[in-house]
Amino acid sequence: MALNNTYGARLVQQETAVGAGVQILLLALLGSAIGMGPAGWLTGLAFAIASWAVLSRALHRSRLRSFGPANRVTLGRATLVGGVTALVADSFQSSPPVTLFVGLTAVALILDGVDGKVARRTGTSTALGARFDMEVDAFLILVLSVYVSMSLGPWVLLIGAMRYGFVAAARVWPWLNAALPPSTARKTVAALQGVFLLLAASGLLPYVATFAVTATALAALVWSFGRDVLWLYRTSRTRRRAPVAEVRELVAS
């Protein structure tokens, strides 16, 4: 049994290494297609190495013995996000081909709705898979917000930074780590962020429309986060009051 577990763990780690290899291959294809500069190459390689290291460590800690089909989809999506990241980094020197940029981003966004369905249909949903999916989503939104901010201004960065700000705040106020109830509105707002930012990044809209679309995305995100934070705060206060009420009842009796 121990040998089987070790063999399964090695296979899982090999899949992450293959993912890193595919990421480097994609960078090579992008480099040959558009003549990507040093900034794009270095950023893409850094993304590949960091993704491999973080994912490998998470898999080791979770002790998963099978990577699973849903995680393979997410890993493929992460590879595309790495390509988009490299293009955005390269755009500080020269604008990337719009068709290529939009194509990679669109496929990554479409696959966002695939990995969850695959996990549910195959019965391979895991906490690690859900976290992996969430981190890939968040990083893509951050990268897109960086790209759009170059034309609309630094305020767009709030879209990409909001989730990371929430995580940082949760380290100071632990009550933010409590589980949230399922919400269709939250999922819808999260999904629209990528769509709106891609639309803004595509250059297909006039400036006023691009500004309006991006501002709408930010407003929706602020509303969604604000609603969740308010719910978490009220819930934490209710939980803190409950033990006090129980003590008072015991004293009274």
Side-chain angles (χ1 to χ4, degrees):
M1 181 64 71
L3 289 176
N4 288 337
N5 288 340
T6 302
Y7 178 72
R10 287 178 179 176
L11 287 179
V12 170
Q13 294 296 341
Q14 286 174 3
E15 293 208 45
T16 63
V18 170
V22 174
Q23 177 72 81
I24 295 173
L25 177 60
L26 176 60
L27 292 176
L29 292 174
L30 292 176
S32 62
I34 67 172
M36 194 162 57
W41 270 104
L42 290 175
T43 303
L45 289 173
F47 179 90
I49 295 172
S51 298
W52 169 79
V54 171
L55 184 57
S56 295
R57 183 184 179 189
L59 287 168
H60 177 73
R61 294 177 64 179
S62 67
R63 300 182 183 277
L64 286 180
R65 295 295 173 259
S66 174
F67 196 62
N71 284 335
R72 293 189 186 100
V73 175
T74 308
L75 184 59
R77 190 155 57 87
T79 300
L80 296 175
V81 171
V84 174
T85 302
L87 291 176
V88 170
D90 194 60
S91 70
F92 284 92
Q93 296 178 335
S94 60
S95 299
V98 175
T99 303
L100 180 61
F101 179 81
V102 171
L104 287 178
T105 306
V107 174
L109 291 174
I110 291 171
L111 289 177
D112 184 27
V114 174
D115 46 13
K117 293 181 180 179
V118 172
R120 289 188 292 271
R121 290 182 180 179
T122 59
T124 55
S125 298
T126 62
L128 174 62
R131 181 64 182 274
F132 185 24
D133 177 62
M134 184 187 303
E135 295 301 336
V136 173
D137 290 343
F139 194 79
L140 177 58
I141 296 303
L142 176 62
V143 170
L144 290 176
S145 68
V146 169
Y147 185 76
V148 176
S149 71
M150 287 189 282
S151 59
L152 293 185
W155 63 271
V156 183
L157 295 174
L158 292 173
I159 297 176
M162 199 167 300
R163 190 257 173 182
Y164 295 100
F166 180 87
V167 172
R171 293 181 178 273
V172 180
W173 298 291
W175 51 269
L176 289 171
N177 288 311
L180 287 164
S183 170
T184 301
R186 184 189 310 118
K187 292 179 180 179
T188 302
V189 169
L192 287 177
Q193 297 304 305
V195 176
F196 283 178
L197 285 174
L198 177 58
L199 189 59
S202 67
L204 298 175
L205 301 177
Y207 180 86
V208 174
T210 300
F211 187 95
V213 165
T214 309
T216 300
L218 177 58
L221 195 61
V222 169
W223 170 81
S224 180
F225 269 95
R227 189 185 66 156
D228 287 345
V229 169
L230 182 60
W231 186 91
L232 289 169
Y233 176 71
R234 288 175 174 173
T235 302
S236 69
R237 291 190 63 184
T238 301
R239 289 174 179 172
R240 287 198 300 268
R241 289 173 180 172
V244 175
E246 291 177 1
V247 170
R248 289 176 177 172
E249 289 179 2
L250 289 174
V251 172
S253 61

